[in-house]
Amino acid sequence: MKENTIFNNKYFIYTLFLLLFITGTLTFKDYGIGIDDKFHRLNGFYWLDYILSFTNFNETKDLVKLKLVEISDYTLPSIQEFNKYSIIFDVPAALIELILKLDNSKQFYEIRHFLNFIFFFIGCIYFYKLLLYRFNKTISFFGCVLFIITPRIYGESFYNMKDIVFLTFLVMGYYFSFKCFLSYKIKNLIILSLISAICIQIRIIGVALPLSFLFFYFLSTLSKQSDLRNLKKIILFIIITPILLFLTWPYLWSSPLNNFLEVINNWVPSIHIFFNGKFFQNDFLPFSYIPLWILISTPVLHNVLFLIGFILIFKRLYERLINIDKYKLSYDLWRGVKEKNDVYISLNFLILMVLVVFLNIRLFNAWKHLYFVNFYLIYIATFGLNNIFIFAKKKSKLKILIIFLVLSMGFVIFKMYKYHPYQGLYFNQLTSDNYKNKFEIDFTALSAKHFFNKIFDITNQEKLVYIGTASWTPLNRTLDIFPKEKRDSIVLVGQDFQRADFIFSNNISEVDKTLNDKYDIPVTFNKFYEFKIDGAILYTIYKRNSQ
Amino acid sequence: MKIFIYKSLIAAFIFFILFQITIGATLKEIKKQISFFSSEENIIGIKDKIREEIISTNKKDRYLDENDAKILREFINKIKSELK
C-alpha cells in the first residue's frame, strides 16, 4: 500500500520511542516489588557465584557469597527449584548491583526494574523493525503503538524478569528468522542460533522458535529446490544451537542431558487457582482458561483488530490451500516472502495455542507464562489493521480511520494512566467489576507496597504491629524495601490469626478456599479497608474488633 | 509430495483437536475426579463431615429409628443364637 499519511515520517517513530523511554525512566520507581524480585536476585548471585568459581576473582567471590547469605529467606523455594531458571537477566543484574555497589534494598530492586524495562524497550524497537519487513511505515508505526500500549505487558515490563525478557528475545528471534527467509546468511543464522538458545533457556517453550524455523525451511525446499543450496548452513544452525544453549546456560554444564530433561519435567508448581469464580487445580484447567484471560485483559481495540486479522489470514491461507496446484507457479501456501511471514507467524500462534490449551499445561497468575503470545496477537492485529487501511483507502475514508484509531489508542493510554502503576492487572471494558473479582488479580503482590504504606499510616510505629496473611502472598519479600525502623515495627504472623492486629487478604490461594479453612477470616475481625483499581479488589485489610 | 505433506499435517492437526475435545476431555475429567477424591482437602472435608454428623446425632434423643432398632435387635439376636 502506498503511503501518504503523516505517520510515515521517521520522526514520529523516534518520538514514540523517546516518549516510551522517558515515561519508563520517570516511572520505574513507582512499581511495587513483585514476589519474584527476590527470587531473581538470589538466582543471579547463585549463578554468578558458580561462574566465578572457575576464575581467580577472589574479592568478588567473597562479595557474592556475602550477598547470597544476606538474601536467604524462608519463603524462597529450595535451590533445586530455582537454579533451573535463566541467567540472561539475573546474572547481569547481579553484576550491575556489584559494580554500582548498591547496598540499599530499594535501590537494587529499582535498578532491576529499570533493566527489565530496557529489555522491553529493545523488544519494542525490534518489533517495529520486524513489522517494517512486512508492512509500510504507517502500519508499522501503529502496530508498534499497539504493542507498547498492551497494558498488561507494559506494566509487567517493569518487574517481570522472565516473561518480558522472553518476549523480547522471541521478537528478536522472529526478526532474524524473517531476515533468514530473505537470505540464509551465516551471520543471520548464527545470531538466530544464539537467540534460540537464549529463548530455550528462559522458557522451555522457546524451543518452538528454532523448530518452526526449520519446519518452514523444510516446507520451502519442497517447492523451491534452490533453497536446498542452503542445506549446509541449516545443518550448521542445527549443530550450533544446542552448543550455544550449553555454553550460555551454566545449569547444563554439570549434566547437560539430565538437567535439560529435568527442566522439561518441572515447569510450574501444582497449586489451586481462582478462575471464573471457582478454584481449579492447575493440572486440570478448563480449555477456556487462556482464551478467556486474553479476552478480558487485552484492550477491546486489540481484540477486534486481532479477530479481523486472524479471520483474514486464515481465510487467505484456506484459499491458497484449496487452489494449490503443482503445475502452476502457485505451488505453495504463500505468494512471496511477506505472505510467508504471515503464515509463519499465524501458524506458530495457532499451533502453540492449541498445544497449550489442550495439553493440560500447568499455569497460574493469569496468562503470565504466555505473555510472549502478545507478539503473535499484535502481529495478527497489525495485519488486520493493514487490511482495514487498504479498505478505507479504497473508500476514501483514511482520515476518518486514522482519527478513530488515534482516539481509540488515546483511550487505552488514558486507562493505562488510570491504572498506574498497576497496568499489569488491567481488565478491559467488557469485564464488569463483579466479574473482575472472580479471578486471581494481584498474584505478584504489587499492591503489598501500598498495603504496608497504609499500615504505617494508620498505626503508631512505636508499637509492634502484628500482621496475619489470609493469602498465599509472601508479604515479607515486599517488606524488604522499607527502612529498617519501619520493617522492625511489623511482625508477620502468617495464619496465626490469634496474634494478629490486622489481616491481609486477597484472592490468591494455593488451596481451595471452599474446602480448606486455612485462610478463613476469624469472626473477631472486621473488614477495615479495601484497595480497588477500576473495580478490581487488589487486597482487603481486616482489623481486630476493638472490644 | 508437498500436497501430500500439507494434507497429512492438516489431518493430524484436526485429529489431535478432535481427540482432545472428545476422549482427551473425558480422560481429563476422570483424572480430575480421581485427583480430587484422593486430595488431602477432600479427605479433611470427609472427616469434618463425619465429625459434624456425629455431633448432631449426639444431640438427638435416639441414635436409631425405632423400626431400624427393632430390625437390628432381631438380626443381632439371631446371630448370637447361631453363635452359641
Side-chain angles (χ1 to χ4, degrees), chain A residues 215 218-220 222-224 272 280-281 283-287 321 324-326 331-334 350-351 354-355 357-360 510-512 515-517, chain B residues 1-7 9-10 13 16-22 24-36 39-42 44-45 48:
Chain A
F215 179 69
F218 165 72
L219 286 184
S220 300
L222 290 177
S223 57
K224 202 175 157 196
H272 275 94
F280 290 90
Q281 182 79 35
D283 298 273
F284 308 106
L285 290 171
F287 293 149
L321 185 71
I324 201 162
D325 187 343
K326 68 175 170 180
Y331 182 44
D332 229 323
L333 285 179
W334 51 79
L350 187 70
I351 292 168
V354 165
L355 291 178
V357 167
F358 289 117
L359 286 186
N360 266 346
E510 84 287 16
V511 294
D512 184 343
L515 295 171
N516 193 317
D517 59 2
Chain B
M1 177 70 173
K2 189 161 194 167
I3 297 171
F4 169 74
I5 289 172
Y6 283 152
K7 283 181 179 170
L9 289 172
I10 292 165
F13 188 70
F16 174 77
I17 293 178
L18 286 177
F19 178 84
Q20 288 299 334
I21 55 179
T22 53
T26 315
L27 286 174
K28 186 177 170 182
E29 190 56 35
I30 293 168
K31 279 186 196 168
K32 188 178 158 185
Q33 291 300 332
I34 293 171
S35 166
F36 172 73
S39 71
E40 194 188 336
E41 280 160 353
N42 188 47
I44 292 169
D48 286 346

Side-chain angles (χ1 to χ4, degrees), chain A residues 421-436:
Chain A
Y422 301 104
Q423 293 96 339
L425 314 174
Y426 172 86
F427 286 97
N428 66 22
Q429 287 71 51
L430 295 176
T431 326
S432 70
D433 291 355
N434 185 34
Y435 197 58
K436 286 172 194 168

